[in-house]
Amino acid sequence: MSLGAVYAGGVQLGAYALERRGPKERERLLRECSTNVDNLAAGRWETLLTSALVVEEPMPLPYALLLVAVLGYAEYAYGAWWTAAVFLFGHATATLLVYGALRRTTDPLTRRALDVGTSYGFNSVLGALTSALPRGAVRTTARVGLLALAAAPVVKRGRTFTDAGHLAALGIGIGVSLALDCLSGVKHQKIA
């Protein structure tokens, strides 16, 4: 069984268990794990990890399956440790970029907003996987297309800091992908 499947299954089971808690206990646990501005400003850096382990509600089945597929293919192409490293690096770096942009805000709702979930890590791994595509137009089109899809919510009214975090995480993953492109002789499974 892949590490990605174990991770997604654990997050999903945790979400179901969290639903069974009382509303106050559930809210308290989510707030303790959140990488919101108040937590990071108070030095609660462990939330850079804990926030990737919980979700506010169970993941919809299509998203959960896509998460498993992306993480599973990354494990196949590059290995479990590489996948975990890219996931955690992208998750933490995108979170810190969002925190840096928001840390001076005085809006209490933004400062205390729940910021948990798998999406930053998912976007990072997805972006990094573009290096497994055939070189040339296919790889470039995939990168540009993914960035355009992630940028669309950022330029709309009603955007959230999470939208910017998704774009940042995807950009980080594509940066990893570009670095892989520069490494000659790297052995990994390409998408046929």
Side-chain angles (χ1 to χ4, degrees), residues 68-159:
V68 170
V70 166
L71 295 179
Y73 190 79
E75 285 182 59
Y76 168 73
Y78 300 105
W81 291 113
W82 181 91
T83 303
V86 171
F87 185 98
L88 291 172
F89 175 72
H91 172 79
T93 305
T95 298
L96 291 172
L97 288 170
V98 168
Y99 167 69
L102 295 176
R103 68 189 172 133
R104 300 214 188 278
T105 186
T106 57
D107 175 22
L109 290 176
T110 301
R111 293 186 67 82
R112 292 185 34 86
L114 284 178
D115 192 13
V116 296
T118 63
S119 60
Y120 289 2
F122 166 81
N123 277 286
S124 296
V125 173
L126 181 64
L129 271 180
T130 60
S131 66
L133 295 169
R135 287 189 181 268
V138 171
R139 193 179 297 184
T140 301
T141 301
R143 288 174 176 157
V144 170
L146 286 171
L147 287 170
L149 285 171
V154 175
V155 298
K156 289 182 180 177
R157 282 185 193 215
R159 66 185 171 265

Side-chain angles (χ1 to χ4, degrees), residues 2-78:
S2 80
L3 185 63
V6 170
Y7 165 73
V11 169
Q12 194 75 321
L13 287 173
Y16 286 122
L18 202 54
E19 277 190 333
R20 305 196 78 168
R21 302 264 184 169
K24 286 185 180 180
E25 177 69 5
R26 180 180 174 280
E27 181 76 12
R28 183 188 66 77
L29 287 169
L30 286 170
R31 292 224 171 266
E32 284 179 3
C33 293
S34 177
T35 51
N36 61 33
V37 174
D38 283 349
N39 278 348
L40 291 175
R44 298 201 59 231
W45 299 107
E46 72 277 4
T47 61
L48 288 172
L49 176 61
T50 61
S51 63
L53 300 175
V54 296
V55 290
E56 291 181 57
E57 56 191 35
M59 297 177 284
L61 184 59
Y63 176 77
L65 292 174
L66 185 60
L67 176 64
V68 170
V70 166
L71 295 179
Y73 190 79
E75 285 182 59
Y76 168 73
Y78 300 105

